[in-house]
Amino acid sequence: MKRTFLTVGSGLKERSIAIISCLILLVVILTCLYLRILMNISPVDYLLAATEGSPRQSITDDRLNFGARPQVQTRTLWEAPIIWEGTFDADLYDRTHIRNQSSVALTVFAVGRYLDAYLKTFLTSAEKHFMSGLRVTYYVFTDLPDRMPVVELAPRRSLKVIQVAKHSRWQDISMMRMDAISKVIDAEIRHHFTYVFCFDVDQEFTGRFGSEALGDSVAQLHAWYYNRPQSAFTYDRNPESEAFMDAGDYYYHAAIFGGVWEKVKDLADHCFLKIMEDKLNNVEALWHDESHLNKYFWLHKPSRLLSPEYCWDPHIQDKRDINVTRLMWAEKHYDSLRTG
């Protein structure tokens, strides 16, 4: 009986091992089949399926045509794309972001005389060209809320007015916006939007400014410096300032910056902290918040750069690299608009 018991037990043990081995083999086979199916799915379909419910986009960048514009730089040394006309498939980006229900908060400051001079044109042109097809809310910061222009908004677009204090110096207006942006992100934007784009108001949209511009951390190449040597960049060269730089990658324009709300808040908090540290030391950076923004992007590389097509000054005579203009500088009237 003892011998028989051992024989039966051994048989059961061997059978169990065989069953487990078969199950493991079955799992391996099914896994291989699943991976093979995924490899046969088109990149676009896989992107849309894999990222559904998560608005952040990066996989579509593998479809960028970096060789389409050989006369300009289309990638940074850290492999971030520089977006130029001809390098991207607009329909691909739009389909991806619409499917993922991407949403964008746009912040703009219209303080003092800037409100009457520029805001209506800015908003009206944004309705025609900015992030068409996506849910957008304009956050307008102004000290004159009762002077807001009437602008007809498309479906899924809205506008919110945020009253800010009036400053006697335009430099303080420029620098204090970082604190205001951080606060509205923390109080509201973070709960409703994935992306934030921050603009100067004295600009007009003239062409598509679409979802291809969205990314984790987005910087704008300054139109006057994108093809000039670094020695010509107007970094803050004062070692007493927190914005001091003796080297950098590019010169970025503070008229446009953006990204996911976490990255934009980090940028705004960093710049505001450094501005306040300068104030404590009776220092003011050469180009105010723009100097601090350049220092931030030197320390924290942006994941996406916008070419000068996205912010162009019509006074620049050399337009050989500019195939399309998406946002144009408005005529500046600093003597009459700036207070102090």
Side-chain angles (χ1 to χ4, degrees), residues 236-275:
D236 190 298
R237 308 289 183 176
N238 177 11
E240 300 298 318
S241 172
E242 291 294 326
F244 168 72
M245 295 176 65
D246 57 4
D249 301 307
Y250 303 93
Y251 191 81
Y252 302 110
H253 197 174
I256 302 175
F257 58 93
V260 294
W261 69 262
E262 298 97 328
K263 295 289 188 181
V264 177
K265 179 170 168 53
D266 186 67
L267 182 156
D269 287 342
H270 173 95
C271 291
F272 180 66
L273 175 63
K274 298 305 179 182
I275 288 168

Side-chain angles (χ1 to χ4, degrees), residues 93-133:
Y93 279 98
D94 287 347
R95 289 198 308 270
T96 301
H97 282 280
I98 290 172
R99 182 184 179 101
N100 290 331
Q101 299 181 3
S102 295
S103 55
V104 185
L106 182 157
T107 73
V108 63
F109 283 70
V111 179
R113 300 184 183 96
Y114 276 71
L115 187 148
D116 291 332
Y118 299 118
L119 183 59
K120 185 165 186 176
T121 297
F122 177 88
L123 293 174
T124 302
S125 63
E127 276 299 283
K128 295 178 181 177
H129 302 294
F130 181 73
M131 302 295 166
S132 297

Side-chain angles (χ1 to χ4, degrees), residues 14-238:
E14 291 174 0
R15 184 176 298 176
S16 298
I17 293 173
I19 292 172
I20 292 172
S21 299
C22 290
L23 289 173
I24 292 173
L25 181 61
L26 180 62
V27 170
V28 171
I29 292 172
L30 291 174
T31 301
C32 291
L33 289 172
Y34 176 71
L35 292 175
R36 179 172 294 181
I37 291 170
L38 285 184
M39 291 176 65
N40 289 329
I41 295 177
S42 69
V44 177
D45 292 337
Y46 178 66
L47 162 71
L48 297 176
T51 61
E52 188 168 9
S54 174
R56 298 189 185 188
Q57 154 277 328
S58 61
I59 301 176
T60 45
D61 287 349
D62 64 6
R63 300 287 294 273
L64 286 168
N65 184 358
F66 294 108
R69 299 291 299 273
Q71 74 278 19
V72 296
Q73 186 181 5
T74 56
R75 268 188 290 200
T76 68
L77 291 176
W78 60 94
E79 297 299 312
I82 305 175
I83 307 300
W84 291 86
E85 174 70 8
T87 63
F88 62 90
D89 182 338
D91 290 338
L92 170 62
Y93 279 98
D94 287 347
R95 289 198 308 270
T96 301
H97 282 280
I98 290 172
R99 182 184 179 101
N100 290 331
Q101 299 181 3
S102 295
S103 55
V104 185
L106 182 157
T107 73
V108 63
F109 283 70
V111 179
R113 300 184 183 96
Y114 276 71
L115 187 148
D116 291 332
Y118 299 118
L119 183 59
K120 185 165 186 176
T121 297
F122 177 88
L123 293 174
T124 302
S125 63
E127 276 299 283
K128 295 178 181 177
H129 302 294
F130 181 73
M131 302 295 166
S132 297
L134 301 186
R135 182 166 65 89
V136 173
T137 293
Y138 304 104
Y139 287 84
V140 179
F141 296 78
T142 182
D143 57 337
L144 301 168
D146 57 329
R147 300 262 291 273
M148 283 291 299
V150 176
V151 177
E152 185 176 349
L153 302 177
R156 305 180 71 234
R157 319 277 278 204
S158 59
L159 185 149
K160 295 192 175 184
V161 179
I162 301 174
Q163 187 166 2
V164 294
K166 184 175 183 179
H167 293 276
S168 59
R169 301 171 64 245
W170 68 265
Q171 294 92 336
D172 290 326
I173 296 171
S174 176
M175 292 187 289
M176 291 304 105
R177 70 169 176 156
M178 291 297 185
D179 184 43
I181 289 170
S182 175
K183 286 177 178 175
V184 76
I185 289 174
D186 198 40
E188 183 167 336
I189 289 174
R190 65 191 296 266
H191 302 293
H192 305 290
F193 297 92
T194 304
Y195 298 99
V196 185
F197 257 90
C198 307
F199 287 86
D200 282 354
V201 71
D202 50 349
Q203 305 179 97
E204 180 178 358
F205 292 91
T206 55
R208 173 192 167 91
F209 197 115
S211 58
E212 75 283 350
L214 297 174
D216 276 358
S217 177
V218 184
Q220 172 66 55
L221 292 180
H222 200 295
W224 282 93
Y225 298 104
Y226 81 97
N227 61 357
R228 299 188 68 186
Q230 190 179 113
S231 59
F233 294 173
T234 55
Y235 295 142
D236 190 298
R237 308 289 183 176
N238 177 11

Side-chain angles (χ1 to χ4, degrees), residues 247-317:
D249 301 307
Y250 303 93
Y251 191 81
Y252 302 110
H253 197 174
I256 302 175
F257 58 93
V260 294
W261 69 262
E262 298 97 328
K263 295 289 188 181
V264 177
K265 179 170 168 53
D266 186 67
L267 182 156
D269 287 342
H270 173 95
C271 291
F272 180 66
L273 175 63
K274 298 305 179 182
I275 288 168
M276 297 310 294
E277 288 180 11
D278 274 358
K279 281 184 173 292
L280 289 174
N281 295 317
N282 294 316
V283 177
E284 194 168 273
L286 177 63
W287 289 111
H288 316 105
D289 59 337
E290 184 168 274
S291 295
H292 291 282
L293 177 139
N294 271 274
K295 181 67 171 287
Y296 177 88
F297 280 135
W298 166 242
L299 298 173
H300 310 275
K301 309 299 187 192
S303 64
R304 190 175 217 77
L305 279 66
L306 302 182
S307 72
E309 296 171 343
Y310 287 82
C311 189
W312 184 251
D313 184 352
H315 290 99
I316 300 175
Q317 295 183 354

